[in-house]
Amino acid sequence: MSVPGTPASERTTCAQARAEVSGVLMEVCCGLPLPEARRLHDDALLVATELTANAIRHAGGTTGFDAGLQGDTLWMRVSDRSPRVPRRAPSRPSVPGGFGWMVVQRLSSHVCVEVGPRGKTITAELDLRVHPGPA
């Protein structure tokens, strides 16, 4: 689902977000023992997927996605056209889902929501120091 009038080059799918995050993490994960590298990679891909899927499902689609490293932090930023700030959905056994925002908050060391005149941008950060490297 996409917002009419949004250039196709600005829309990001879950797969594209995961690919970008995987590319950013390639060098970081190389020096880690396999279990830590897998955990970091899996956590980062799950956050990227949830941020992107939530934008697609609840905010009319993404208008941008970016990821990078700053010191010991992996950051991911997704933008959409909705000014609505995400919130935890009440649990309803008859309706699947409703856990994405909670997953993003739990796996991230910091989450920031910025609302502007054209929608919102959510930045999630993962602290790479919680994934210890080789001794």
Side-chain angles (χ1 to χ4, degrees):
M1 181 167 133
S2 62
V3 176
T6 302
S9 62
E10 292 183 11
R11 292 186 211 126
T12 302
T13 66
C14 294
Q16 290 168 325
R18 286 190 300 268
E20 184 164 343
V21 169
S22 286
V24 170
L25 284 176
M26 196 170 300
E27 189 173 316
V28 172
C29 288
C30 284
L32 294 176
L34 191 56
E36 284 84 1
R38 279 190 179 144
R39 181 174 157 218
L40 172 58
H41 189 258
D42 291 350
D43 287 355
L45 293 187
L46 185 53
V47 170
T49 300
E50 289 298 340
L51 287 173
T52 308
N54 286 347
I56 293 167
R57 185 172 183 194
H58 303 293
T62 60
T63 58
F65 182 89
D66 200 13
L69 295 171
Q70 185 171 11
D72 291 327
T73 302
L74 166 69
W75 55 266
M76 294 168 264
R77 187 172 24 238
V78 65
S79 300
D80 61 52
R81 289 191 182 230
S82 173
R84 279 189 34 211
V85 174
R87 61 180 176 77
R88 281 176 91 169
S91 179
R92 294 180 290 181
S94 62
V95 179
F99 300 102
W101 185 237
M102 180 180 68
V103 167
V104 168
Q105 292 178 315
R106 185 159 185 112
L107 293 178
S108 302
S109 53
H110 180 73
V111 179
C112 176
V113 180
E114 298 175 71
V115 178
R118 294 184 175 178
K120 70 178 166 299
T121 299
I122 300 173
T123 303
E125 298 177 354
L126 276 71
D127 186 346
L128 301 178
R129 293 172 294 179
V130 301
H131 302 277

